[in-house]
Amino acid sequence: GLAGEIGHIPYAASGQVAQKCHCGNDHCLGLFLSTRGILNEIRKLPGHEKADDFTEAVAKLDAERKERIFHYLLPPLVHLVIVACNIFDPEYVILWGEAIEPWIDDLEKELEAIVKKATWQASPKKILFHKPDSYRTAYGTTLGLESRVYHAIIEKINEAQ
C-alpha cells in the first residue's frame, strides 16, 4: 500500500530528555504528537499533575498554558510536515487528529508559512485541516498527502494494465 507509520520517525529536539516509545525506540514523533504525549506535557504544568483525560485537561488550560502546549507541539509537527513534503512533494497536506484539534486555529495561522520557508520548492500549495465528527482511529495526528507522486504511480499502473 501507500501507507506507513510516520509516528515512528525519530524526532529529537535539542535539550529534550530521552523518551522511550512503546516500539522500543527513543524520540518517536508519536510521543510528541499524540493525545498521550500532549497529556504527559500538560501533567508537567502546576495544577495539572493528575490530569487523565485529554479533552478535559485541554479544556482546563488557561490561555497562557494552552499557548505553551502549542509551542511544545509545533516544532515536531513542523518537522513531520517538512520531512513528508521533502519526500513526496505534495500539492496539499491534510492534517487532522484529536491531538491537534484544540490548536487548529493557531496552526492555520503559523504552520503553512513556516513549512513553505523550509521545504524544497516551497511545497505544498496549501495545508488543510480537517475536523471529522469523531476520531475512531486517530488518537494522535494524522497526515494526508495529495501528491503528484501518487498520481504518477497510479497513471503508470493504469498504463500497464
Side-chain angles (χ1 to χ4, degrees), residues 7-132:
H8 292 285
I9 289 176
Y11 171 77
S14 61
Q16 281 285 345
V17 175
Q19 294 185 50
K20 190 65 96 179
C21 182
H22 69 276
C23 74
N25 291 324
D26 292 332
H27 298 294
C28 290
L29 276 168
L31 293 168
F32 301 91
L33 297 175
S34 64
T35 54
R36 181 182 302 165
I38 294 170
L39 187 58
N40 286 339
E41 193 65 17
I42 290 172
R43 287 184 188 124
K44 295 176 186 176
L45 300 171
H48 297 274
E49 297 87 348
K50 295 183 181 183
D52 64 350
D53 179 81
F54 178 77
T55 305
E56 288 177 19
V58 171
K60 291 178 182 177
L61 295 174
D62 60 29
E64 182 181 322
R65 289 179 174 167
K66 190 172 179 186
E67 183 176 345
R68 180 175 167 181
I69 299 300
F70 171 74
H71 288 289
Y72 163 81
L73 69 89
L74 184 61
L77 186 59
V78 166
H79 178 76
L80 166 65
V81 175
I82 288 170
V83 167
C85 287
N86 284 339
I87 293 171
F88 296 106
D89 191 24
E91 292 185 50
Y92 300 95
V93 171
I94 305 158
L95 294 168
W96 68 94
E98 186 177 358
I100 63 167
E101 188 168 331
W103 294 274
I104 283 180
D105 292 340
D106 295 320
L107 288 168
E108 285 178 322
K109 293 175 194 167
E110 292 190 39
L111 186 63
E112 190 169 315
I114 295 168
V115 168
K116 282 188 175 213
K117 286 180 186 176
T119 54
W120 182 70
Q121 296 187 351
S123 158
K125 285 183 184 177
K126 186 80 178 149
I127 296 177
L128 305 168
F129 294 88
H130 176 59
K131 294 181 184 179

Side-chain angles (χ1 to χ4, degrees), residues 2 88-92 94 125 145-159:
L2 293 174
F88 296 106
D89 191 24
E91 292 185 50
Y92 300 95
I94 305 158
K125 285 183 184 177
L145 302 174
E146 192 289 317
S147 175
R148 292 178 288 273
V149 173
Y150 294 153
H151 290 287
I153 292 169
I154 292 166
E155 284 177 26
K156 292 287 183 192
I157 291 169
N158 288 333
E159 287 173 11

